[in-house]
Amino acid sequence: MFSLTHPDGWQLDTDPERIDRELVHHWLSTDAYWALGRSRETTERALAGSTPYGVYRPQDGGQVAIARVVTDRATFGWLCDLYVAPQARGRGVGSWLAGSIRDHLAGYGVRRIALSTADAHGVYAKLGFTPASAAQWMEWVDQR
């Protein structure tokens, strides 16, 4: 398990038992544009099939952020579902979380981390993320 403490006291770790699953499902299914309406079952399966990174308040251990990484821990990672609770936004929590994940994966030798965002390009650019080459990447999207 990976853990880290921010100078302001926030705690980050990958303990899946510490994730407040009800809260995370609520955040994603009601407030995250990419996951609106996501079922609880889908949230549970997504957490089970990835490495969850939770960020917690120093005062009471309450969760303030989540991110997941789907990775082989050798060559590639997909950073997804990064969400910061509204009351914790504007304090650098999301940047710290994404940068910590980047550094953690780099420690395994991961050389490429992909992500998708509609509105946070500037946040990720400050951490060294760059636009992907459209000519290089392909995707399949279920149109049902």
Side-chain angles (χ1 to χ4, degrees):
M1 183 177 63
F2 173 72
S3 65
L4 190 62
T5 301
H6 187 274
D8 289 340
W10 302 318
Q11 299 172 333
L12 180 154
D13 70 46
T14 58
D15 181 356
E17 298 302 315
R18 194 167 179 196
I19 299 294
D20 184 336
R21 292 166 183 276
E22 183 174 331
L23 180 61
V24 167
H25 175 256
H26 174 75
W27 286 341
L28 296 177
S29 67
T30 65
D31 193 42
Y33 68 84
W34 65 90
L36 292 175
R38 182 181 288 175
S39 73
R40 177 70 185 257
E41 179 199 5
T42 297
T43 298
E44 291 291 343
R45 286 189 294 126
L47 288 168
S50 57
T51 302
Y53 290 76
V55 177
Y56 307 92
R57 286 187 299 265
Q59 304 88 337
D60 62 4
Q63 190 164 357
V64 297
I66 182 72
R68 298 185 303 111
V69 175
V70 181
T71 184
D72 58 10
R73 290 190 178 98
T75 63
F76 181 79
W78 173 41
L79 173 58
C80 49
D81 286 345
L82 193 151
Y83 182 92
V84 178
Q87 68 272 20
R89 292 178 189 163
R91 300 181 191 170
V93 174
S95 294
W96 178 65
L97 174 56
S100 298
I101 291 169
R102 177 204 57 208
D103 296 347
H104 182 225
L105 294 177
Y108 288 117
V110 170
R111 297 188 59 204
R112 183 179 306 262
I113 302 170
L115 61 85
S116 177
T117 184
D119 60 358
H121 297 81
V123 171
Y124 294 112
K126 290 177 187 174
L127 299 170
F129 288 85
T130 59
S133 167
Q136 185 177 351
W137 290 90
M138 296 182 74
E139 68 179 351
W140 174 84
V141 178
D142 188 347
Q143 299 298 321
R144 292 181 273 176

